[in-house]
Amino acid sequence: MPGVLKSERDGRQDVKPSQGFPIKSAVMADHDTANRTDDGNQGRNFSTINGSLEEVNRYQTNGNLSATEQSQASLSAFLDDSLRQLPPEIAHITMGYLSLSDLITRLVQETFNGMNVVINEMSEVPIPQSNGSTPVNPAQGNVQKKLRLLEFTQEQRAKFIKILVLSQWSRRAESISKVIDLKAWLDAQSLQYDSACSWIGELKRIMALERMPNPDLKTALEALSLGKAPGLPDLGYVRPKQVPPQQLLTALRSINTQLTIRLRLRETIPAPLKNYSISNGRATFRVPNEFEVDLSIADEDPSTQLYFIDFRFLYSPTPAEIRPGRLRDDLEAKVNILLGHDGLEECYQFLHDFVLSHKLNIFRHQVHRLSQARWSEHLKVEAVHRSLVIQYWITRPGAKSWIELGIRRRNVKKSSWLHEEEDGPHIGIRWFCAGKEVTNIPLIIDLGDLSVEAILKQIISAHTNAIFKEIRAKLREGHLYSKKTLRLKHNRSTIEPAACNLTVQFTPSRSCTIIQEPVSGRLVLLPPSPLYSRTEREINNLVSPEKRAFVCIAILRAAASCEEIEPALRCYGWTTVNSLGLNQDKVRHHFGRDTLRASFFRKKSWDAQWLLAFTAGLAGDSWWIVELNRSSRVDPTAAPGPSIRAAFKIPSSSDGVALKELSYPELSQIEITAAGMISQHTDSRQLALQRIPHRLVKTSSSRASSTFATLYVHLPESRVQPAPKNQEFTKMPRLSQVVRLSFIGIDESTSYANHLVIAQSSCATLRSQPLDSTDGECVTFHPTSGAFAFRLRNAVGTSAIPGLLDCLAKIQRLVDYVTTVQASKIHKFSLRHIEFTYATGPPDLRAKVTFIDESPPRISFGNGNPHLRIQNQLTVLLGGREGLKHVILLLSMTLPLMRALAAIETLHGGDEVTILSRSAEWYQLRYQHYPGKFDLRLRRRREEFLWFVEEVSSSDGKKPQSRAHEEFRNLVHEKGEGWSGMSPGIVASLSGVEALLRKINDIFQNPPAIDPAPIAEVQDYKAQKRKREDDDVVVLD
């Protein structure tokens, strides 16, 4: 069936199958279903039987469907199968159709626009005017306007009539559209029929040429069985007489003789044909790598020509000899003509040109096969006259490279190269590398075995070697490869480009091999890695890789070095800093123009202002210390932006490679060197800021610390010891003003920098006693030289100068104290204390002065020391203007008094006598059984220190009255050993005060007798005593 046309009319065609049920047309089967609802019969099932509707009751009997339902199921299956087997619908054509509504809208718009134009034209029609003599009809203008309006109306009316016709026709447009679709389908089918007929006719015409006659089996059997066939015609040929072998041999020898005589005496043989041989009646001329030609004679007459016998190629790929055919016939005819007219010279020239052209054709076929196979899309072949142009690496950017294969002729006469054995026309090659012709090509062409692929490989090998040679020369300009610190090897090959490579050593443990693909010309870096892929892409995008590829390789080497260094440093506690954001210009500005890559690292224990940098370039790898601006400290969470203030190169003994072995000792040495340089820079800067003279001196010591210069600091006296409150030390020995500060390494546990400070002292007392090291201070003292050596420890990047000044101040304080007590016996001393004997016994009396950091100095005494009662007062004096010298003086002056007071306390016990120490120079003595008290004061009189003892009156000005008091008052008028009375008290020398106190104690030692005074007086005395005790206040520090 050609197709299906769906009809909109409500026509039905019923066909009754064998079951007795009406079946509707398949076209309308989708419109009428068995389940229809009509006029209140909703939900019921109807079927058409004999043109009427009959309700079908649905019920099941014993679980089976009714007969009506089974019939309906069979009908539905039949209709589905019928619809599946229908052909596809005919294509509906809509191309070129226009909407009637659009057409009407456009006509209305056009009518409206035209009406406006007509109205404007009518308004412009002039009205005739009367000139006074000729009457004018005013209706003439109106007639013109009416005619113009009538013409417009008739034109638009005709258009609307056409629209009316179209609108009436459009009512049947749907049927007409189907007719159009059917007409188009029929035309297409007719065209296919015509095309099929034409194809069959053309096939018949072509096959006529391929027709073969039927085999003549009868004649074939006769010929094969009898050796003859009666039906074949007899041409009457006469068989030649058979020549006997002896006669044939004689004839051949005769011909050989004639050829020998003729070639030697009469023929002019060109130089290329000098190599010939005569045998079997022919002369064989041999031209190496070209051809062999056999010539002979047909007559004994020397004037007759030579004749062509045979021709053979002496190169491959060619057949051993030319098979009989048109080529051989034409060649034989041409050679015989040339031999008859011009002799061997023209014959050789023709055969030579023939061979050269044949070789070029072989090259052309070979290169076309290459361009269609392995070298596809990478070769471009052009034939220009008799030359062959082969462009290779056509996908590479930059200038083109190609070779030209052709016949090269020299500008010499023909006779010159034919007779003087000079080079005549031959296969020549011109090589243009990147658009420039290359002379003196190192090329070997095997003309005996022609292979254009071998020629291409040699040219590409030369091109690849030239590229690698230029890259190698550029890399050798750097220090690393010029000094052979790193290996750079170029493997060459003249016949195999795949064997050409350039091996570049990046680090002691890493190298890269660069090869070039012969077919595409792409440079490949081996072994493959993500680091190499980007560089490989950049190199292959270069226009001139031989000039600029070394930059990419140098950058790759720098990146490879950094890639090896970064993981190693992270394993040893370093953190990579990526927030500097330096471009290449800034890197070169800070680290030198040869620097290509820089990586920054930070130690957690370092000050955030300092970093360790690793730079790599062709000049070599280097380690640097980098100082950031104070306002730009590195914060791992901050945005990029810190700037570099200064960078200092770390000296290295290597030849440009930062680390030959990534080991802990190597990295540890780098860290130590960097820490030492940072410490020296910070210390020098701190001294310069404080305007302290200093100088770095390189020592020749063999110690590990000798790699760093020693910092000699010239400290003014005010820097070593700030101006003290007391002036007792102004004339004492001082430390030397020149102090040596040396970096001695870093602490392995804290990574802090260690410094050694050496200060010289001229104090002779220090040299007689070793320094006590039990306090934990990192200070040693050499008694022989009088030099103090102490260790400073601070974070790398912070200055050691504040600690140096503080420690020097401590040493100077120790020197001052030792100088002060040098008259006493010093037991031990350190930066925190000094212990000495200020009085000899028995028992010996010792004092210990402690001075710890910022705390005020303190003096302490052992148990049983009489000065223990005034320890606090002496501590106050020790930290005041008086200082240790005054304290030692007080110790000697108050010693007799302290002994006497201690003896009194021991004699009376703690309840019978009270001793108050108001200061180191003022004491009060009270006896519990006697009212009143006694003051003991140390005063200076006439350059002599004396103790003044006097009785203190009560608050009401009255003095107590008792027998003991009367005896004490009588002492004022007496005089004893080391003391004498002096109104209103008693004066005793420093040594006589002890005897005076014994005398006073003898008076008040025994309690008084009971006085028969009234009880009221006793109670009044006790009340006054309690009041006096309340008024007595002692302030203790």
Side-chain angles (χ1 to χ4, degrees):
M1 294 178 63
V4 176
L5 288 175
K6 290 187 178 181
S7 177
E8 297 296 332
R9 58 189 177 86
D10 193 16
R12 295 172 181 169
Q13 183 179 1
D14 296 339
V15 179
K16 296 182 179 180
S18 59
Q19 290 85 349
F21 293 93
I23 300 177
K24 301 179 183 180
S25 173
V27 178
M28 303 303 299
D30 56 343
H31 297 287
D32 299 327
T33 61
N35 298 327
R36 293 182 67 178
T37 57
D38 289 328
D39 301 331
N41 295 322
Q42 184 175 6
R44 298 179 179 180
N45 297 328
F46 295 88
S47 63
T48 305
I49 303 175
N50 296 327
S52 62
L53 293 175
E54 181 179 351
E55 183 177 357
V56 178
N57 296 321
R58 302 182 60 190
Y59 62 90
Q60 293 182 354
T61 304
N62 298 327
N64 298 323
L65 294 175
S66 63
T68 305
E69 291 179 344
Q70 293 178 358
S71 301
Q72 289 180 354
S74 301
L75 177 60
S76 300
F78 177 78
L79 291 176
D80 293 340
D81 293 340
S82 300
L83 289 174
R84 290 192 203 98
Q85 297 174 1
L86 292 177
E89 295 184 4
I90 295 176
H92 181 58
I93 298 176
T94 58
M95 185 180 298
Y97 283 13
L98 296 177
S99 175
L100 182 61
S101 60
D102 294 341
L103 186 59
I104 296 174
T105 302
R106 292 176 184 177
L107 180 59
V108 171
Q109 185 65 37
E110 183 182 354
T111 303
F112 176 76
N113 295 336
M115 189 64 183
N116 291 332
V117 173
V118 170
I119 291 174
N120 292 332
E121 291 178 355
M122 292 170 60
S123 63
E124 293 176 359
V125 174
I127 300 176
Q129 299 293 333
S130 175
N131 55 8
S133 59
T134 305
V136 177
N137 186 6
Q140 186 176 358
N142 295 334
V143 171
Q144 294 179 359
K145 295 179 180 180
K146 291 178 181 180
L147 290 175
R148 180 69 185 91
L149 182 59
L150 182 60
E151 291 175 357
F152 172 74
T153 305
Q154 289 178 347
E155 292 177 359
Q156 298 304 318
R157 179 175 177 275
K159 294 180 180 180
F160 275 98
I161 290 174
K162 294 178 182 179
I163 290 296
L164 178 61
V165 173
L166 291 176
S167 64
Q168 292 176 355
W169 178 84
S170 65
R171 293 184 179 91
R172 298 187 298 275
E174 189 171 356
S175 300
I176 298 299
S177 175
K178 292 182 179 181
V179 174
I180 293 173
D181 296 343
L182 185 57
K183 177 65 169 59
W185 182 83
L186 290 174
D187 292 342
Q189 295 298 316
S190 178
L191 180 61
Q192 291 182 6
Y193 293 150
D194 295 340
S195 300
C197 294
S198 299
W199 179 77
I200 292 173
E202 184 66 20
L203 182 62
K204 181 179 180 182
R205 187 184 66 80
I206 295 173
M207 293 301 293
L209 301 176
E210 304 296 332
R211 182 182 301 172
M212 296 179 64
N214 295 329
D216 188 359
L217 298 179
K218 181 180 179 181
T219 305
L221 289 174
E222 291 178 354
L224 293 175
S225 61
L226 301 177
K228 62 180 179 178
L232 292 178
D234 187 5
L235 300 180
Y237 289 143
V238 179
R239 289 181 178 273
K241 294 180 180 181
Q242 188 175 2
V243 180
Q246 187 64 32
Q247 185 180 356
L248 180 60
L249 181 58
T250 301
L252 291 177
R253 287 177 178 175
S254 177
I255 294 174
N256 291 341
T257 302
Q258 295 293 330
L259 284 173
T260 302
I261 295 172
R262 182 169 179 173
L263 292 177
R264 289 187 177 182
L265 299 178
R266 298 187 62 88
E267 293 293 337
T268 303
I269 303 175
L273 295 180
K274 293 291 185 181
N275 183 16
Y276 66 90
S277 62
I278 300 174
S279 64
N280 298 327
R282 65 182 68 184
T284 302
F285 296 91
R286 181 183 181 89
V287 180
N289 296 327
E290 290 193 14
F291 61 88
E292 275 186 353
V293 61
D294 295 339
L295 303 179
S296 186
I297 57 176
D299 195 347
E300 295 181 359
D301 186 1
S303 61
T304 58
Q305 70 173 54
L306 297 173
Y307 288 93
F308 176 87
I309 302 300
D310 197 3
F311 182 86
R312 292 174 299 278
F313 294 110
L314 296 182
Y315 53 88
S316 62
T318 55
E321 58 183 18
I322 301 177
R323 291 180 296 177
R326 181 177 177 181
L327 176 61
R328 183 182 177 87
D329 296 342
D330 292 345
L331 181 62
E332 182 178 356
K334 182 65 176 177
V335 171
N336 287 332
I337 292 173
L338 293 174
L339 289 173
H341 290 82
D342 300 314
L344 290 175
E345 293 181 357
E346 290 297 331
C347 175
Y348 168 74
Q349 184 178 358
F350 168 74
L351 293 177
H352 182 62
D353 289 343
F354 170 72
V355 169
L356 293 181
S357 299
H358 186 252
K359 287 184 177 181
L360 288 178
N361 284 331
I362 292 175
F363 284 140
R364 184 179 295 109
H365 291 306
Q366 288 180 347
V367 76
H368 276 295
R369 284 197 301 268
L370 289 177
S371 63
Q372 295 173 2
R374 179 167 172 258
W375 297 70
S376 176
E377 298 182 359
H378 297 286
L379 284 182
K380 184 178 180 181
V381 184
E382 293 182 4
V384 181
H385 302 293
R386 295 181 67 185
S387 298
L388 185 63
V389 180
I390 306 172
Q391 180 185 348
Y392 60 93
W393 296 351
I394 60 177
T395 57
R396 279 189 56 84
K400 300 178 181 179
S401 298
W402 70 91
I403 59 176
E404 294 181 1
L405 281 170
I407 299 175
R408 178 171 294 179
R409 302 178 185 271
R410 297 180 61 188
N411 296 325
V412 295
K413 295 181 179 180
K414 183 189 299 184
S415 59
S416 176
W417 63 268
L418 283 177
H419 300 287
E420 298 180 5
E421 298 186 357
E422 294 185 4
D423 292 337
H426 60 279
I427 297 294
I429 294 180
R430 299 175 66 192
W431 176 29
F432 291 85
C433 179
K436 298 180 180 179
E437 184 176 3
V438 181
T439 59
N440 300 326
I441 308 174
L443 185 63
I444 301 176
I445 303 177
D446 187 1
L447 296 178
D449 185 10
L450 302 180
S451 175
V452 73
E453 186 174 9
I455 296 175
L456 272 175
K457 286 185 176 181
Q458 293 187 60
I459 293 295
I460 291 175
S461 296
H463 196 166
T464 302
N465 288 328
I467 292 175
F468 287 163
K469 180 180 179 181
E470 188 68 22
I471 295 175
R472 181 172 176 266
K474 293 290 186 180
L475 291 176
R476 278 193 176 276
E477 294 179 0
H479 175 79
L480 284 176
Y481 298 105
S482 62
K483 300 297 183 181
K484 297 183 179 181
T485 304
L486 295 177
R487 183 166 44 89
L488 193 63
K489 184 179 181 182
H490 179 199
N491 295 323
R492 296 177 177 86
S493 176
T494 58
I495 59 175
E496 184 56 50
C500 302
N501 59 72
L502 179 65
T503 301
V504 183
Q505 187 180 14
F506 290 161
T507 63
S509 61
R510 192 172 189 176
S511 61
C512 173
T513 301
I514 307 172
I515 64 174
Q516 190 164 30
E517 294 181 357
V519 177
S520 63
R522 289 181 54 84
L523 291 170
V524 180
L525 276 64
L526 299 177
S529 70
L531 181 64
Y532 295 170
S533 59
R534 180 178 178 181
T535 303
E536 180 179 321
R537 185 168 55 254
E538 292 176 353
I539 292 176
N540 288 315
N541 290 332
L542 294 175
V543 175
S544 300
E546 63 275 5
K547 296 181 180 179
R548 299 296 301 169
F550 81 97
V551 178
C552 301
I553 296 173
I555 295 175
L556 177 62
R557 196 215 73 83
S561 299
C562 294
E563 191 179 59
E564 280 196 358
I565 290 295
E566 290 176 2
L569 288 180
R570 284 197 294 268
C571 292
Y572 294 113
W574 294 84
T575 304
T576 304
V577 179
N578 298 320
S579 58
L580 293 182
L582 298 178
N583 55 25
Q584 189 63 28
D585 294 336
K586 290 184 179 180
V587 169
R588 292 181 176 179
H589 172 72
H590 292 290
F591 303 106
R593 62 183 183 87
D594 294 329
T595 303
L596 299 176
R597 185 74 177 266
S599 297
F600 301 92
F601 308 94
R602 181 176 178 268
K603 196 77 170 181
K604 186 177 181 181
S605 59
W606 285 19
D607 185 79
Q609 190 182 1
W610 290 92
L611 301 176
L612 178 67
F614 172 77
T615 61
L618 283 181
D621 300 338
S622 303
W623 293 96
W624 300 70
I625 54 172
V626 177
E627 183 183 10
L628 302 178
N629 288 321
R630 179 63 65 175
S631 59
S632 306
R633 295 199 170 199
V634 176
D635 184 4
T637 61
S643 57
I644 295 178
R645 178 181 180 181
F648 307 96
K649 187 175 181 180
I650 299 176
S652 175
S653 59
S654 62
D655 296 331
V657 180
L659 291 179
K660 294 185 178 180
E661 182 181 357
L662 294 176
S663 60
Y664 178 76
E666 293 286 341
L667 295 176
S668 178
Q669 184 60 36
I670 293 294
E671 180 182 358
I672 293 174
T673 306
M677 292 183 63
I678 292 174
S679 299
Q680 288 183 352
H681 281 289
T682 53
D683 294 341
S684 299
R685 182 175 296 165
Q686 184 69 23
L687 292 172
L689 290 176
Q690 297 184 10
R691 297 183 179 180
I692 299 176
H694 61 279
R695 184 176 56 154
L696 285 171
V697 178
K698 184 68 176 180
T699 61
S700 58
S701 174
S702 60
R703 297 180 304 167
S705 60
S706 63
T707 56
F708 306 100
T710 301
L711 185 64
Y712 286 84
V713 184
H714 188 274
L715 294 172
E717 184 178 347
S718 59
R719 293 288 185 177
V720 178
Q721 173 69 38
K725 297 179 181 178
N726 51 33
Q727 303 297 328
E728 62 171 307
F729 299 141
T730 55
K731 297 183 180 181
M732 291 185 178
R734 317 299 296 177
L735 287 175
S736 175
Q737 293 183 349
V738 179
V739 179
R740 287 186 297 171
L741 176 63
S742 303
F743 174 80
I744 59 174
I746 58 176
D747 188 89
E748 294 185 358
S749 59
T750 61
S751 297
Y752 277 20
N754 291 327
H755 297 81
L756 177 65
V757 182
I758 299 177
Q760 195 75 26
S761 174
S762 59
C763 179
T765 306
L766 290 173
R767 302 185 180 185
S768 61
Q769 186 73 24
L771 186 68
D772 184 17
S773 59
T774 58
D775 288 341
E777 292 284 346
C778 299
V779 180
T780 59
F781 175 70
H782 192 265
T784 304
S785 61
F788 283 91
F790 58 90
R791 184 178 65 182
L792 295 178
R793 184 181 300 170
N794 59 288
V796 177
T798 59
S799 177
I801 300 303
L804 169 67
L805 297 178
D806 181 64
C807 196
L808 289 178
K810 293 179 180 179
I811 294 176
Q812 183 61 54
R813 180 175 56 187
L814 173 63
V815 172
D816 295 341
Y817 286 161
V818 170
T819 305
T820 302
V821 299
Q822 61 183 349
S824 303
K825 181 180 179 182
I826 300 176
H827 294 279
K828 55 183 178 179
F829 62 88
S830 68
L831 292 183
R832 295 186 178 184
H833 70 274
I834 179 172
E835 187 174 350
F836 58 93
T837 299
Y838 62 89
T840 56
D844 293 342
L845 298 180
R846 294 185 180 182
K848 182 178 181 180
V849 179
T850 304
F851 32 89
I852 302 176
D853 297 335
E854 301 297 333
S855 301
R858 299 182 60 85
I859 189 170
S860 59
F861 304 95
N863 294 331
N865 194 307
H867 282 95
L868 193 60
R869 69 176 64 253
I870 60 172
Q871 177 176 314
N872 294 334
Q873 289 83 350
L874 293 177
T875 298
V876 174
L877 295 175
L878 184 63
R881 291 181 58 84
E882 293 81 2
L884 180 61
K885 185 176 182 180
H886 182 63
V887 170
I888 293 177
L889 181 62
L890 286 177
L891 288 176
S892 61
M893 289 190 298
T894 59
L895 179 58
L897 176 64
M898 294 297 105
R899 287 177 176 174
L901 294 177
I904 293 174
E905 283 186 338
T906 303
L907 181 62
H908 291 277
D911 296 333
E912 296 182 2
V913 64
T914 302
I915 300 174
L916 299 179
S917 302
R918 293 188 176 273
S919 68
E921 302 172 358
W922 182 14
Y923 304 90
Q924 280 190 352
L925 179 63
R926 298 178 185 178
Y927 289 91
Q928 300 295 335
H929 302 288
Y930 294 94
K933 53 188 177 182
F934 303 95
D935 276 353
L936 289 85
R937 297 196 181 191
L938 181 64
R939 294 179 181 176
R940 189 172 183 177
R941 183 185 182 193
R942 297 176 183 176
E943 302 298 328
E944 182 182 7
F945 287 95
L946 300 174
W947 286 102
F948 287 83
V949 181
E950 60 181 349
E951 185 180 6
V952 180
S953 301
S954 60
S955 58
D956 55 0
K958 296 179 180 181
K959 295 183 179 180
Q961 301 294 326
S962 64
R963 181 182 59 82
H965 288 87
E966 290 298 330
E967 291 181 5
F968 174 76
R969 295 186 185 104
N970 293 331
L971 293 177
V972 175
H973 306 288
E974 297 179 4
K975 186 176 181 181
E977 182 181 356
W979 62 272
S980 61
M982 183 180 294
S983 180
I986 305 172
V987 179
S989 63
L990 297 178
S991 58
V993 68
E994 189 172 1
L996 175 62
L997 288 180
R998 283 199 300 269
K999 185 69 175 176
I1000 295 174
N1001 185 61
D1002 292 340
I1003 296 174
F1004 293 94
Q1005 181 176 3
N1006 297 322
I1010 299 175
D1011 192 0
I1015 300 300
E1017 292 182 2
V1018 174
Q1019 294 177 350
D1020 183 52
Y1021 169 74
K1022 291 182 178 181
Q1024 291 180 0
K1025 180 179 180 181
R1026 284 195 300 270
K1027 185 176 183 304
R1028 286 195 302 272
E1029 290 178 353
D1030 294 338
D1031 292 340
D1032 294 336
V1033 179
V1034 178
V1035 180
L1036 300 178
D1037 188 358

